[in-house]
Amino acid sequence: MRTPSVRTRVLAAAAFLVAAVGAALGGAQAASAHDSLVSSSPASGDSVSSLSEVTLDFSANLLGYDGGNIVIVVGPDGRHYETECVALAGPTLTLPVALGQPGEYSVEWRAVSSDGHPVSGVIPFTYTGASTSEGAGTSPCAAAAGAGEAASTTDAASESGGLSGLTLGLLVGGGAVVVVGILVVVILRTRSREE
């Protein structure tokens, strides 16, 4: 019976390592594929003369965790102009608003991506219409959800110093590749000594 040569075994081990690295990096990329904002009304930089609701459309259905999806509208005076809490319908968040004095406003949002990770952003726009509200000092919906005054533009893992899905995937995948590499070397050395 003919045994495989050392060269054949080394090539097989190298092919296995390449496959393991590919699997590890592929898994890490999938872990970081969060849903993204596709469109909004108003859009970033828009100038509007009337606005009764803000809508945000995402690339996939969002998760409806209690308090996880937050949208607030902050005016030039720092006051809030939401009239109700945000509503979720599949990939769309809708927020009723009544704006105050004309000026620069921002829509600050945080949503729970379909992969369970939070995504967030800020959409600036200009309001040129008549005042329909005096606004409020705080957002009762955001405060009830434990979000504080604003949604951050970084995800919660970055804010808390925790690991992102990409970093965790790379660490686990890299560790698996190292372990497999060590096992291949040990097996090859053991077999070459036996011959």
Side-chain angles (χ1 to χ4, degrees), residues 82-104:
E82 312 88 69
T83 58
E84 295 177 30
C85 295
V86 67
L88 171 64
T92 303
L93 293 173
T94 305
L95 178 73
V97 297
L99 301 182
Q101 296 299 320
E104 301 299 316

Side-chain angles (χ1 to χ4, degrees), residues 9 25 29 54 79 88 93 102 110 121 164 181 185-186 195:
R9 287 184 277 180
L25 293 178
Q29 288 174 350
V54 170
R79 297 180 70 79
L88 171 64
L93 293 173
R110 183 183 73 203
S164 71
V185 169
V186 168
E195 294 176 355

Side-chain angles (χ1 to χ4, degrees), residues 10-36:
V10 169
L11 289 175
F16 181 77
L17 284 174
V18 168
V21 168
L25 293 178
Q29 288 174 350
S32 67
H34 307 309
D35 300 330
S36 59

